[in-house]
Amino acid sequence: MCLWIVKSNFIPGQENSIEMVLIDEKGSKIHATVRRHLIHMFKGVLIEGEAYTLSTFSVVEAYGLCRPTRHPCRLFFHSTTLLERVECPLIKKNGLSLMDIGKINSHTCDSNYLVDLIGVMSGISSLNEFTKNGERVKMIVIELSDPRGDCHVVLFGGIVDYLIQMMRTLQGGLPVVVVQFAKIRFFRGRVLLQNIQDVTKLWLNPAVEDAVLYGRRLNKMRGGPTTHVPLIGPGRKPSLGDEFLHLYPKKTIADLKFTLEDGPFIVSAVIDGLVEGEDWWFPSCRCSKRLIPNAGFYYCRSCSKHVFHVVPRFCVKVHVTDGIEDAMFVLSDDAMCYLIRTKCSVLVSSYKGMNRVNPPDVLKQLEGLKLLFKVVTVSSLNPIYKGCFKVARVCVDAGIIKSFSNGGIYHTPEQALLKLMNPLFWVTSTLNMGIFL
Protein backbone atom coordinates (compact mmCIF):
# COMPACT_ATOMS: atom_id res chain seq x y z
CA MET A 1 0.00 0.00 0.00
CA CYS A 2 3.00 2.32 0.28
CA LEU A 3 6.54 2.06 -1.11
CA TRP A 4 9.48 4.47 -0.96
CA ILE A 5 13.26 4.48 -1.37
CA VAL A 6 15.58 5.77 1.37
CA LYS A 7 18.63 7.60 0.00
CA SER A 8 22.02 8.05 1.68
CA ASN A 9 22.79 11.23 3.63
CA PHE A 10 26.50 10.76 2.95
CA ILE A 11 26.88 9.54 -0.65
CA PRO A 12 24.90 11.44 -3.32
CA GLY A 13 22.74 9.19 -5.46
CA GLN A 14 23.21 6.09 -3.30
CA GLU A 15 20.04 4.22 -2.35
CA ASN A 16 20.18 2.63 1.08
CA SER A 17 16.96 0.62 1.14
CA ILE A 18 13.47 0.06 -0.21
CA GLU A 19 10.80 0.50 2.46
CA MET A 20 7.16 -0.50 2.20
CA VAL A 21 3.98 -1.01 4.16
CA LEU A 22 2.18 -4.29 3.44
CA ILE A 23 -1.52 -4.85 4.10
CA ASP A 24 -3.45 -8.14 3.95
CA GLU A 25 -7.10 -8.99 3.39
CA LYS A 26 -7.82 -8.60 7.13
CA GLY A 27 -6.57 -5.01 7.12
CA SER A 28 -3.47 -5.79 9.19
CA LYS A 29 -0.36 -3.81 8.24
CA ILE A 30 3.37 -4.44 8.68
CA HIS A 31 6.60 -2.62 7.75
CA ALA A 32 8.95 -4.43 5.33
CA THR A 33 12.48 -3.59 4.13
CA VAL A 34 14.79 -4.48 1.24
CA ARG A 35 18.41 -3.78 2.23
CA ARG A 36 20.84 -1.95 -0.06
CA HIS A 37 22.64 -5.03 -1.44
CA LEU A 38 19.31 -6.48 -2.62
CA ILE A 39 17.79 -3.36 -4.18
CA HIS A 40 18.84 -4.44 -7.69
CA MET A 41 16.82 -7.65 -7.28
CA PHE A 42 13.53 -6.08 -6.19
CA LYS A 43 13.52 -2.54 -7.58
CA GLY A 44 10.98 -2.46 -10.39
CA VAL A 45 9.56 -5.83 -9.33
CA LEU A 46 7.75 -4.42 -6.31
CA ILE A 47 5.01 -2.02 -7.42
CA GLU A 48 2.88 0.05 -5.07
CA GLY A 49 -0.78 -0.94 -5.23
CA GLU A 50 -0.12 -4.49 -6.49
CA ALA A 51 -0.78 -7.66 -4.46
CA TYR A 52 1.77 -10.44 -3.98
CA THR A 53 2.27 -13.71 -2.18
CA LEU A 54 5.49 -13.49 -0.17
CA SER A 55 7.64 -16.27 1.27
CA THR A 56 11.11 -16.84 2.77
CA PHE A 57 11.85 -13.67 4.73
CA SER A 58 13.06 -12.65 8.19
CA VAL A 59 10.86 -11.35 11.01
CA VAL A 60 12.49 -9.02 13.55
CA GLU A 61 11.30 -6.66 16.27
CA ALA A 62 10.10 -3.31 14.86
CA TYR A 63 12.30 -0.27 15.46
CA GLY A 64 12.96 3.24 14.11
CA LEU A 65 12.01 6.89 14.63
CA CYS A 66 9.30 6.79 11.95
CA ARG A 67 7.29 3.58 12.25
CA PRO A 68 4.51 3.49 9.63
CA THR A 69 2.58 0.74 11.47
CA ARG A 70 2.00 -0.30 15.06
CA HIS A 71 2.80 -3.93 14.33
CA PRO A 72 5.43 -5.16 16.82
CA CYS A 73 7.40 -6.86 14.04
CA ARG A 74 9.12 -5.91 10.79
CA LEU A 75 9.97 -8.00 7.70
CA PHE A 76 13.31 -8.15 5.88
CA PHE A 77 13.71 -9.53 2.36
CA HIS A 78 16.48 -12.01 1.46
CA SER A 79 18.04 -13.03 -1.84
CA THR A 80 15.90 -16.19 -1.59
CA THR A 81 12.64 -14.31 -0.96
CA LEU A 82 9.97 -15.38 -3.42
CA LEU A 83 7.32 -13.05 -4.86
CA GLU A 84 4.33 -13.82 -7.03
CA ARG A 85 1.89 -11.16 -8.20
CA VAL A 86 -1.76 -12.09 -7.60
CA GLU A 87 -5.23 -10.58 -7.81
CA CYS A 88 -6.87 -10.00 -4.42
CA PRO A 89 -9.87 -7.63 -4.54
CA LEU A 90 -10.55 -8.21 -0.82
CA ILE A 91 -7.55 -6.09 0.18
CA LYS A 92 -8.36 -2.42 0.86
CA LYS A 93 -5.45 -0.58 -0.72
CA ASN A 94 -5.69 2.65 1.31
CA GLY A 95 -5.67 0.86 4.68
CA LEU A 96 -6.45 3.97 6.75
CA SER A 97 -6.10 3.77 10.54
CA LEU A 98 -7.65 7.11 11.47
CA MET A 99 -6.83 8.87 14.74
CA ASP A 100 -9.00 11.75 15.95
CA ILE A 101 -7.47 15.15 16.65
CA GLY A 102 -8.28 14.97 20.35
CA LYS A 103 -6.03 11.93 20.75
CA ILE A 104 -3.30 13.54 18.64
CA ASN A 105 -3.39 16.70 20.76
CA SER A 106 -3.04 14.65 23.95
CA HIS A 107 0.61 13.87 23.11
CA THR A 108 3.29 15.57 25.21
CA CYS A 109 6.31 14.48 23.16
CA ASP A 110 7.28 13.33 19.67
CA SER A 111 5.85 9.98 18.61
CA ASN A 112 7.75 7.33 16.64
CA TYR A 113 4.50 6.02 15.14
CA LEU A 114 3.12 7.66 12.01
CA VAL A 115 -0.59 8.42 12.12
CA ASP A 116 -3.55 8.88 9.74
CA LEU A 117 -5.98 11.79 10.11
CA ILE A 118 -9.16 13.02 8.46
CA GLY A 119 -10.44 16.55 8.95
CA VAL A 120 -11.86 19.61 7.30
CA MET A 121 -9.29 22.18 6.13
CA SER A 122 -10.21 25.15 8.29
CA GLY A 123 -7.12 27.23 7.47
CA ILE A 124 -4.04 27.46 5.28
CA SER A 125 -0.88 29.57 5.52
CA SER A 126 0.96 31.47 2.82
CA LEU A 127 3.62 29.58 0.89
CA ASN A 128 7.05 30.02 2.47
CA GLU A 129 10.56 28.85 1.61
CA PHE A 130 13.72 28.18 3.61
CA THR A 131 17.21 26.88 2.87
CA LYS A 132 18.06 23.27 3.75
CA ASN A 133 21.49 21.87 2.85
CA GLY A 134 21.95 24.63 0.31
CA GLU A 135 18.61 23.98 -1.40
CA ARG A 136 15.39 25.97 -1.28
CA VAL A 137 12.56 24.00 0.32
CA LYS A 138 8.89 24.99 0.12
CA MET A 139 6.73 24.91 3.23
CA ILE A 140 3.05 25.43 3.93
CA VAL A 141 0.89 24.88 7.03
CA ILE A 142 -2.72 23.70 6.93
CA GLU A 143 -5.18 23.56 9.81
CA LEU A 144 -7.43 20.50 10.04
CA SER A 145 -10.50 20.36 12.27
CA ASP A 146 -12.83 17.68 13.56
CA PRO A 147 -15.37 17.61 16.43
CA ARG A 148 -12.52 17.12 18.93
CA GLY A 149 -10.56 20.24 17.97
CA ASP A 150 -8.02 21.39 15.41
CA CYS A 151 -4.41 20.57 14.53
CA HIS A 152 -1.74 22.18 12.35
CA VAL A 153 -0.07 20.03 9.68
CA VAL A 154 3.32 21.29 8.47
CA LEU A 155 4.11 20.22 4.90
CA PHE A 156 7.54 20.39 3.26
CA GLY A 157 8.95 19.56 -0.17
CA GLY A 158 7.15 18.07 -3.15
CA ILE A 159 3.86 17.47 -1.32
CA VAL A 160 3.44 21.27 -1.17
CA ASP A 161 3.29 21.48 -4.98
CA TYR A 162 0.75 18.66 -5.01
CA LEU A 163 -1.41 20.46 -2.41
CA ILE A 164 -1.34 23.73 -4.37
CA GLN A 165 -2.29 21.89 -7.56
CA MET A 166 -5.22 20.19 -5.81
CA MET A 167 -6.40 23.46 -4.21
CA ARG A 168 -6.78 24.96 -7.70
CA THR A 169 -9.32 22.27 -8.59
CA LEU A 170 -11.65 23.01 -5.64
CA GLN A 171 -15.14 24.20 -6.46
CA GLY A 172 -15.63 26.08 -3.18
CA GLY A 173 -16.30 25.09 0.39
CA LEU A 174 -13.95 23.71 3.00
CA PRO A 175 -12.29 20.56 1.59
CA VAL A 176 -12.09 17.29 3.50
CA VAL A 177 -8.44 16.30 3.83
CA VAL A 178 -7.02 12.85 4.53
CA VAL A 179 -3.39 12.70 5.68
CA GLN A 180 -1.72 9.29 5.91
CA PHE A 181 1.66 8.44 7.51
CA ALA A 182 2.32 11.80 9.22
CA LYS A 183 4.64 12.24 12.20
CA ILE A 184 3.50 13.75 15.49
CA ARG A 185 5.86 16.49 16.68
CA PHE A 186 5.67 18.33 20.02
CA PHE A 187 7.09 21.82 19.59
CA ARG A 188 7.04 24.60 22.20
CA GLY A 189 4.04 23.24 24.03
CA ARG A 190 2.00 22.51 20.91
CA VAL A 191 1.32 19.33 18.97
CA LEU A 192 1.93 19.46 15.22
CA LEU A 193 1.83 16.95 12.39
CA GLN A 194 4.66 16.89 9.86
CA ASN A 195 4.96 15.05 6.56
CA ILE A 196 7.77 12.58 5.90
CA GLN A 197 9.36 12.98 2.47
CA ASP A 198 8.20 10.28 -0.02
CA VAL A 199 6.15 8.57 2.70
CA THR A 200 3.25 10.83 3.71
CA LYS A 201 0.17 10.72 1.47
CA LEU A 202 -2.48 13.43 1.17
CA TRP A 203 -5.93 13.52 -0.45
CA LEU A 204 -8.43 16.37 -0.84
CA ASN A 205 -12.14 15.51 -1.03
CA PRO A 206 -11.50 11.82 -1.70
CA ALA A 207 -14.36 10.00 -3.42
CA VAL A 208 -15.15 7.92 -0.33
CA GLU A 209 -18.62 7.91 1.21
CA ASP A 210 -17.31 8.35 4.76
CA ALA A 211 -15.26 11.39 3.73
CA VAL A 212 -18.24 13.01 1.95
CA LEU A 213 -20.55 12.54 4.95
CA TYR A 214 -17.79 13.73 7.26
CA GLY A 215 -17.39 16.98 5.35
CA ARG A 216 -21.12 17.69 5.29
CA ARG A 217 -21.44 17.08 9.03
CA LEU A 218 -18.59 19.39 9.99
CA ASN A 219 -19.64 22.15 7.61
CA LYS A 220 -23.11 22.01 9.16
CA MET A 221 -21.57 22.37 12.63
CA ARG A 222 -19.71 25.46 11.40
CA GLY A 223 -22.93 27.06 10.17
CA GLY A 224 -22.81 26.04 6.52
CA PRO A 225 -20.20 25.85 3.78
CA THR A 226 -17.47 28.45 3.46
CA THR A 227 -16.52 29.74 0.02
CA HIS A 228 -12.78 29.94 0.66
CA VAL A 229 -10.31 28.39 3.09
CA PRO A 230 -9.29 31.13 5.60
CA LEU A 231 -5.66 32.28 5.61
CA ILE A 232 -3.82 31.56 8.86
CA GLY A 233 -0.51 32.78 10.22
CA PRO A 234 1.66 35.62 8.91
CA GLY A 235 2.26 36.41 5.26
CA ARG A 236 4.72 35.14 2.73
CA LYS A 237 8.41 35.06 3.59
CA PRO A 238 10.25 38.15 2.29
CA SER A 239 12.62 37.94 -0.66
CA LEU A 240 16.39 37.80 -0.22
CA GLY A 241 16.66 41.47 -1.16
CA ASP A 242 13.99 42.56 1.33
CA GLU A 243 15.50 40.45 4.09
CA PHE A 244 18.98 41.96 3.74
CA LEU A 245 18.01 45.51 2.68
CA HIS A 246 14.68 46.47 4.26
CA LEU A 247 13.73 44.39 7.29
CA TYR A 248 16.59 44.49 9.79
CA PRO A 249 18.85 47.19 11.27
CA LYS A 250 22.30 47.55 9.77
CA LYS A 251 25.31 47.32 12.08
CA THR A 252 29.05 47.66 11.79
CA ILE A 253 31.09 45.07 13.64
CA ALA A 254 31.99 47.69 16.25
CA ASP A 255 28.29 48.48 16.79
CA LEU A 256 27.51 44.79 17.00
CA LYS A 257 30.01 44.24 19.81
CA PHE A 258 28.47 46.93 22.01
CA THR A 259 24.78 46.48 21.23
CA LEU A 260 22.54 45.45 24.13
CA GLU A 261 19.62 44.52 21.87
CA ASP A 262 18.55 40.99 21.06
CA GLY A 263 17.56 40.20 17.51
CA PRO A 264 18.79 39.92 13.92
CA PHE A 265 21.13 42.52 12.41
CA ILE A 266 22.73 42.79 8.97
CA VAL A 267 26.52 43.15 8.79
CA SER A 268 28.71 43.60 5.71
CA ALA A 269 32.14 42.01 6.14
CA VAL A 270 34.90 40.02 4.47
CA ILE A 271 35.92 36.54 5.65
CA ASP A 272 39.52 36.90 6.83
CA GLY A 273 40.08 33.17 7.38
CA LEU A 274 39.02 30.20 9.44
CA VAL A 275 39.55 30.12 13.20
CA GLU A 276 42.35 27.63 13.80
CA GLY A 277 41.94 24.74 16.19
CA GLU A 278 38.12 24.79 16.06
CA ASP A 279 35.81 22.00 14.88
CA TRP A 280 34.27 22.63 11.46
CA TRP A 281 31.43 20.11 11.89
CA PHE A 282 29.59 18.35 14.67
CA PRO A 283 27.62 15.08 14.94
CA SER A 284 23.88 15.64 15.15
CA CYS A 285 20.74 13.58 15.62
CA ARG A 286 18.00 13.35 13.01
CA CYS A 287 16.15 15.93 15.10
CA SER A 288 19.05 18.32 14.24
CA LYS A 289 20.26 18.58 17.85
CA ARG A 290 23.96 18.25 18.70
CA LEU A 291 24.98 14.82 20.02
CA ILE A 292 27.22 14.34 23.03
CA PRO A 293 29.60 11.40 23.64
CA ASN A 294 28.29 9.04 26.30
CA ALA A 295 29.66 5.61 27.26
CA GLY A 296 31.31 5.12 23.89
CA PHE A 297 28.18 6.15 21.97
CA TYR A 298 26.40 9.36 21.03
CA TYR A 299 23.50 10.60 23.14
CA CYS A 300 20.74 13.03 22.14
CA ARG A 301 19.38 15.06 25.04
CA SER A 302 16.39 16.20 22.99
CA CYS A 303 15.31 12.62 22.16
CA SER A 304 16.59 11.27 25.52
CA LYS A 305 18.30 8.25 23.97
CA HIS A 306 21.51 6.96 22.40
CA VAL A 307 21.76 7.56 18.66
CA PHE A 308 23.50 5.29 16.15
CA HIS A 309 22.62 7.19 12.97
CA VAL A 310 24.81 10.30 13.08
CA VAL A 311 24.22 13.25 10.71
CA PRO A 312 27.25 15.58 10.26
CA ARG A 313 26.39 19.30 10.24
CA PHE A 314 28.55 22.36 9.59
CA CYS A 315 29.52 24.69 12.43
CA VAL A 316 32.38 26.79 11.00
CA LYS A 317 34.04 29.60 12.94
CA VAL A 318 35.53 32.34 10.77
CA HIS A 319 37.38 35.63 11.31
CA VAL A 320 35.60 38.53 9.60
CA THR A 321 36.49 42.19 9.15
CA ASP A 322 34.73 45.27 7.82
CA GLY A 323 38.01 47.15 7.37
CA ILE A 324 37.77 48.84 10.78
CA GLU A 325 36.93 46.14 13.31
CA ASP A 326 37.04 42.34 13.29
CA ALA A 327 35.12 39.55 15.00
CA MET A 328 34.44 35.81 14.99
CA PHE A 329 31.28 34.58 13.29
CA VAL A 330 29.84 31.06 13.46
CA LEU A 331 28.36 29.87 10.16
CA SER A 332 25.47 27.45 10.53
CA ASP A 333 24.86 24.33 8.47
CA ASP A 334 22.36 26.05 6.18
CA ALA A 335 24.66 29.05 5.62
CA MET A 336 27.62 26.82 4.73
CA CYS A 337 25.59 24.62 2.38
CA TYR A 338 24.40 27.80 0.64
CA LEU A 339 27.98 29.06 0.25
CA ILE A 340 29.74 25.92 -1.00
CA ARG A 341 26.71 24.06 -2.47
CA THR A 342 27.78 20.85 -0.75
CA LYS A 343 26.30 18.95 2.16
CA CYS A 344 28.45 18.45 5.24
CA SER A 345 27.88 14.68 5.07
CA VAL A 346 29.38 14.62 1.56
CA LEU A 347 32.55 16.40 2.71
CA VAL A 348 32.92 14.19 5.76
CA SER A 349 32.57 11.01 3.69
CA SER A 350 34.99 12.36 1.05
CA TYR A 351 37.68 13.12 3.65
CA LYS A 352 37.64 9.86 5.56
CA GLY A 353 40.10 9.83 8.41
CA MET A 354 40.17 13.63 8.66
CA ASN A 355 39.37 14.86 12.14
CA ARG A 356 36.97 17.68 12.85
CA VAL A 357 39.73 20.21 13.59
CA ASN A 358 41.40 20.08 10.14
CA PRO A 359 38.99 21.55 7.55
CA PRO A 360 39.07 20.58 3.85
CA ASP A 361 40.47 22.98 1.25
CA VAL A 362 37.02 23.99 -0.01
CA LEU A 363 36.38 25.74 3.31
CA LYS A 364 39.72 27.53 3.24
CA GLN A 365 38.77 28.99 -0.14
CA LEU A 366 36.16 31.18 1.59
CA GLU A 367 38.96 33.53 2.66
CA GLY A 368 38.59 36.95 1.01
CA LEU A 369 34.87 36.51 0.23
CA LYS A 370 32.72 39.59 0.89
CA LEU A 371 29.25 38.79 2.21
CA LEU A 372 26.21 40.16 3.96
CA PHE A 373 25.63 38.34 7.25
CA LYS A 374 22.33 38.06 9.08
CA VAL A 375 23.65 37.92 12.64
CA VAL A 376 21.44 36.90 15.55
CA THR A 377 22.36 38.24 18.98
CA VAL A 378 20.62 36.55 21.90
CA SER A 379 21.61 37.11 25.52
CA SER A 380 20.89 33.47 26.43
CA LEU A 381 22.69 31.99 23.44
CA ASN A 382 24.25 28.51 23.46
CA PRO A 383 27.71 28.41 25.16
CA ILE A 384 29.34 27.28 21.90
CA TYR A 385 28.80 30.83 20.61
CA LYS A 386 30.61 32.49 23.52
CA GLY A 387 32.84 35.23 22.15
CA CYS A 388 31.31 34.75 18.68
CA PHE A 389 28.25 35.85 16.78
CA LYS A 390 25.79 33.37 15.32
CA VAL A 391 25.06 33.73 11.59
CA ALA A 392 21.56 32.67 10.57
CA ARG A 393 21.88 33.44 6.85
CA VAL A 394 24.33 34.87 4.32
CA CYS A 395 23.96 36.72 1.02
CA VAL A 396 26.47 36.57 -1.85
CA ASP A 397 24.35 38.44 -4.39
CA ALA A 398 26.57 41.23 -5.78
CA GLY A 399 23.61 43.51 -6.57
CA ILE A 400 22.20 43.27 -3.05
CA ILE A 401 25.65 43.82 -1.50
CA LYS A 402 26.14 46.93 -3.67
CA SER A 403 22.72 48.32 -2.72
CA PHE A 404 23.49 47.66 0.93
CA SER A 405 26.78 49.59 0.72
CA ASN A 406 25.13 52.51 -1.10
CA GLY A 407 22.73 52.94 1.81
CA GLY A 408 25.48 54.24 4.05
CA ILE A 409 27.17 52.74 7.08
CA TYR A 410 24.59 53.80 9.66
CA HIS A 411 21.45 53.49 7.52
CA THR A 412 18.65 51.58 9.29
CA PRO A 413 15.55 50.56 7.32
CA GLU A 414 12.41 52.36 8.49
CA GLN A 415 10.31 49.21 8.85
CA ALA A 416 12.87 47.16 10.71
CA LEU A 417 11.99 48.06 14.29
CA LEU A 418 8.26 47.60 13.69
CA LYS A 419 8.89 44.17 12.22
CA LEU A 420 11.14 43.12 15.07
CA MET A 421 8.56 44.17 17.66
CA ASN A 422 5.85 42.02 16.06
CA PRO A 423 5.69 38.63 17.87
CA LEU A 424 4.14 36.98 14.80
CA PHE A 425 7.31 37.83 12.89
CA TRP A 426 9.39 35.72 15.28
CA VAL A 427 7.04 32.76 14.85
CA THR A 428 7.43 33.04 11.07
CA SER A 429 11.22 33.26 11.32
CA THR A 430 11.36 30.14 13.45
CA LEU A 431 9.24 28.18 10.96
CA ASN A 432 11.21 29.42 7.97
CA MET A 433 14.51 28.28 9.47
CA GLY A 434 13.27 24.72 9.14
CA ILE A 435 13.15 23.91 12.85
CA PHE A 436 10.77 21.00 12.14
CA LEU A 437 13.20 19.25 9.80
Side-chain angles (χ1 to χ4, degrees):
M1 60 175 288
C2 184
L3 183 145
W4 68 98
I5 294 177
V6 177
K7 296 183 179 180
S8 172
N9 287 324
F10 298 92
I11 303 176
Q14 177 175 290
E15 298 174 343
N16 279 351
S17 65
I18 298 176
E19 306 292 337
M20 70 204 85
V21 178
L22 307 178
I23 183 171
D24 63 15
E25 67 274 10
K26 296 181 180 180
S28 300
K29 294 177 288 186
I30 193 168
H31 185 187
T33 299
V34 177
R35 293 186 178 94
R36 186 177 67 190
H37 65 283
L38 297 177
I39 290 179
H40 68 282
M41 292 183 59
F42 295 99
K43 187 176 182 180
V45 176
L46 292 164
I47 302 174
E48 184 174 309
E50 296 293 337
Y52 301 84
T53 58
L54 177 67
S55 60
T56 317
F57 50 83
S58 295
V59 181
V60 301
E61 185 177 355
Y63 60 89
L65 294 176
C66 296
R67 303 184 192 178
T69 78
R70 291 188 174 270
H71 199 290
C73 297
R74 181 175 177 178
L75 308 185
F76 277 93
F77 282 52
H78 292 292
S79 59
T80 55
T81 299
L82 299 178
L83 289 172
E84 182 181 355
R85 190 183 300 185
V86 296
E87 294 292 333
C88 190
L90 296 178
I91 298 179
K92 296 181 179 180
K93 295 182 180 181
N94 58 29
L96 292 172
S97 300
L98 297 173
M99 179 181 292
D100 65 65
I101 290 179
K103 190 170 183 180
I104 291 174
N105 287 336
S106 66
H107 283 74
T108 57
C109 61
D110 290 2
S111 173
N112 290 339
Y113 295 101
L114 305 185
V115 299
D116 304 340
L117 171 68
I118 185 171
V120 167
M121 187 189 295
S122 53
I124 186 169
S125 73
S126 299
L127 176 65
N128 284 285
E129 292 186 354
F130 61 90
T131 303
K132 175 74 172 177
N133 295 326
E135 300 178 357
R136 301 297 291 171
V137 180
K138 295 180 180 179
M139 183 196 78
I140 204 165
V141 181
I142 60 175
E143 180 186 74
L144 299 185
S145 301
D146 72 6
R148 298 291 301 276
D150 57 72
C151 179
H152 283 185
V153 182
V154 185
L155 303 174
F156 298 97
I159 199 171
V160 175
D161 293 326
Y162 172 75
L163 173 65
I164 294 174
Q165 180 182 354
M166 294 299 296
M167 292 291 288
R168 290 171 179 164
T169 65
L170 296 179
Q171 301 299 319
L174 299 179
V176 176
V177 180
V178 176
V179 181
Q180 188 177 35
F181 302 129
K183 186 172 178 63
I184 297 176
R185 303 299 299 268
F186 190 77
F187 175 70
R188 294 187 177 179
R190 179 163 188 170
V191 177
L192 304 163
L193 288 184
Q194 176 191 326
N195 72 295
I196 304 298
Q197 187 69 23
D198 300 324
V199 181
T200 302
K201 297 178 180 292
L202 183 143
W203 297 275
L204 268 67
N205 290 333
V208 179
E209 183 179 359
D210 290 342
V212 174
L213 295 176
Y214 185 89
R216 290 175 181 172
R217 184 170 67 252
L218 280 187
N219 278 333
K220 185 176 181 180
M221 291 173 58
R222 287 178 171 271
T226 302
T227 305
H228 300 290
V229 179
L231 188 67
I232 60 174
R236 183 182 178 91
K237 184 180 178 181
S239 65
L240 187 68
D242 287 338
E243 185 165 11
F244 282 91
L245 296 178
H246 305 302
L247 293 183
Y248 304 103
K250 177 187 293 187
K251 296 284 187 182
T252 64
I253 292 179
D255 293 335
L256 197 64
K257 287 183 175 180
F258 293 100
T259 185
L260 299 178
E261 301 175 75
D262 284 351
F265 301 102
I266 306 300
V267 178
S268 176
V270 175
I271 296 179
D272 205 24
L274 303 182
V275 179
E276 296 183 0
E278 296 286 346
D279 293 344
W280 59 277
W281 68 276
F282 66 91
S284 73
C285 179
R286 286 182 173 177
C287 70
S288 300
K289 299 298 183 182
R290 182 183 290 261
L291 298 174
I292 59 174
N294 181 274
F297 301 97
Y298 283 114
Y299 184 79
C300 178
R301 290 177 176 172
S302 177
C303 300
S304 300
K305 63 182 180 181
H306 285 92
V307 175
F308 302 97
H309 182 84
V310 177
V311 180
R313 295 186 184 274
F314 287 115
C315 184
V316 181
K317 289 187 178 182
V318 296
H319 286 289
V320 299
T321 178
D322 58 8
I324 300 174
E325 189 66 72
D326 56 26
M328 283 192 297
F329 284 0
V330 181
L331 299 178
S332 65
D333 188 71
D334 286 342
M336 284 303 305
C337 290
Y338 172 76
L339 282 176
I340 66 175
R341 304 296 179 183
T342 304
K343 294 182 180 180
C344 183
S345 57
V346 174
L347 278 187
V348 172
S349 62
S350 300
Y351 290 81
K352 293 182 179 179
M354 176 179 289
N355 59 48
R356 283 184 279 166
V357 178
N358 298 319
D361 293 337
V362 66
L363 300 187
K364 298 177 182 178
Q365 294 173 4
L366 296 176
E367 184 175 348
L369 188 62
K370 184 176 182 180
L371 303 169
L372 294 182
F373 299 88
K374 179 182 174 183
V375 178
V376 180
T377 58
V378 183
S379 54
S380 59
L381 208 57
N382 192 303
I384 67 172
Y385 298 110
K386 186 175 182 180
C388 307
F389 294 98
K390 180 182 179 181
V391 177
R393 195 176 183 186
V394 296
C395 175
V396 298
D397 187 282
I400 296 177
I401 294 175
K402 183 178 179 180
S403 298
F404 182 91
S405 301
N406 291 340
I409 298 178
Y410 297 105
H411 169 71
T412 297
E414 295 178 0
Q415 300 179 0
L417 295 180
L418 294 177
K419 287 282 186 179
L420 293 175
M421 291 171 64
N422 186 353
L424 285 178
F425 174 78
W426 289 101
V427 175
T428 314
S429 300
T430 304
L431 288 173
N432 290 337
M433 290 174 68
I435 197 159
F436 299 103
L437 288 184

